[in-house]
Amino acid sequence: MKRKIAFAALLLSPLFVQSAQATEPLRIATDATYPPFEFIDAAGKVAGFEVDFAYAVCKAMATPCEVINQPWDGLIPGLQAKKYDAIMSSMNITDKRRQVVDFSKVYYLMQNRFVGRKGVQLTSDLKDKVIAVQTGTPQDSYVSQNFKAASIKRYVNAQDPMLELTSGRADFTFGNTVQLQKGFLDTANGKPFAFTGPVFDGRKDKVLGEGVAVALRKSDAALKERFNKAIDQVKSSGEYAALLKKHKLDGLLED
């Protein structure tokens, strides 16, 4: 009887609970339609810079984790429903998102540009032009607010706006410069297209976001602190720079 009581006391002790929590697997969601940050590789697995970074951060937290693929428009609802513990999917911090989720510290800054067919110039209002964007993103909000004379087509999959360009059903898309360069312009389908107009980012217009971070439930303050410490550790160790080099992103991302 004494042994049972002692074991029960051990199970309830803060040290035991903390140890159990430390080894409990974390589920991290991403929308794997955003190369080179996250995509499905030839083996059918979730891959990319941000996926590798997620696993490096989990290793720094001494916590096993799994990165799972989820549609973009379901990422935040799934987090709130506790289907997973965090989101790492090039999600920019915005005031609107901050109302429903919390964020870790920023781990990279996103820059944005328009892409159109080569030789086609950006006009001031893009009147009568069609802009294709990923729905529910800061880029969607930005073009909606600033190009009201244009027709805006929205898609859940991050690759669909580029498909609309190549099919001729859209005149422009607007998004992350690195993703557009690596995931479209550098491909065979992207050869007839090019960047046009200036660079836009959240430092100039807040609607574009304050930087990419881990999204977490507001109730998970302790997990947020663990992510913050692990992000610092991965960056200071040189592993972050090594991942940038592996994915040919060194010099392309600001942090």
Side-chain angles (χ1 to χ4, degrees):
M1 179 63 71
K2 290 182 179 179
R3 288 182 179 178
K4 290 183 179 180
I5 293 173
F7 182 69
L10 174 62
L11 289 176
L12 295 173
S13 71
L15 183 61
F16 185 91
V17 172
Q18 184 177 0
S19 176
Q21 289 175 340
T23 57
E24 190 174 293
L26 289 176
R27 284 168 62 83
I28 299 174
T30 195
D31 170 27
T33 66
Y34 207 65
F37 298 96
E38 37 265 335
F39 57 91
I40 301 298
D41 66 14
K45 295 181 179 180
V46 181
F49 163 74
E50 210 161 3
V51 176
D52 285 348
F53 181 55
Y55 282 116
V57 167
C58 287
K59 183 179 178 183
M61 290 192 287
T63 301
C65 68
E66 176 188 13
V67 179
I68 60 173
N69 185 22
Q70 296 288 300
W72 175 261
D73 59 348
L75 282 174
I76 289 179
L79 178 67
Q80 293 173 314
K82 298 187 176 181
K83 293 181 179 179
Y84 31 83
D85 305 291
I87 299 168
M88 293 182 71
S89 193
S90 291
M91 185 168 282
N92 246 309
I93 301 171
T94 65
D95 287 340
K96 184 177 180 180
R97 289 172 179 161
R98 197 184 273 115
Q99 291 174 11
V100 292
V101 297
D102 202 357
F103 287 97
S104 72
K105 60 173 50 185
V106 170
Y107 53 85
Y108 85 84
L109 293 172
M110 185 180 293
Q111 295 186 327
N112 307 275
R113 290 189 75 181
F114 282 93
V115 165
R117 197 164 287 275
K118 288 179 178 177
V120 177
Q121 297 301 311
L122 207 65
T123 60
S124 59
D125 59 2
L126 292 181
K127 185 178 180 180
D128 299 326
K129 298 297 184 181
V130 177
I131 308 172
V133 292
Q134 187 178 23
T135 189
T137 61
Q139 292 88 353
D140 180 0
S141 297
Y142 185 82
V143 295
S144 298
Q145 290 181 20
N146 293 280
F147 296 92
K148 297 182 185 296
S151 174
I152 300 169
K153 300 176 75 172
R154 299 173 175 87
Y155 302 88
V156 173
N157 189 315
Q159 297 302 298
D160 285 346
M162 279 79 88
L163 294 176
E164 293 298 273
L165 278 184
T166 57
S167 70
R169 291 189 293 267
D171 301 293
F172 299 97
T173 187
F174 180 66
N176 180 348
T177 56
V178 175
Q179 191 264 338
L180 288 171
Q181 183 71 58
K182 297 285 187 178
F184 181 57
L185 296 178
D186 287 348
T187 70
N189 286 338
K191 295 304 179 186
F193 301 90
F195 287 120
T196 182
V199 174
F200 304 84
D201 65 40
R203 290 169 294 185
K204 299 172 185 176
D205 195 313
K206 196 174 180 181
V207 72
L208 284 171
E210 300 166 31
V212 171
V214 184
L216 303 142
R217 287 184 289 273
K218 285 181 173 289
S219 58
D220 286 345
L223 183 58
K224 173 183 174 178
E225 184 59 27
R226 290 174 63 201
F227 266 105
N228 284 343
K229 289 180 180 179
I231 289 168
D232 283 342
Q233 184 176 332
V234 173
K235 286 192 170 187
S236 64
S237 70
E239 190 170 2
Y240 183 84
L243 290 176
L244 290 176
K245 187 173 183 179
K246 172 186 173 181
H247 293 277
K248 299 179 180 180
L249 292 170
D250 44 329
L252 299 179
L253 296 185
E254 296 184 56
D255 58 6

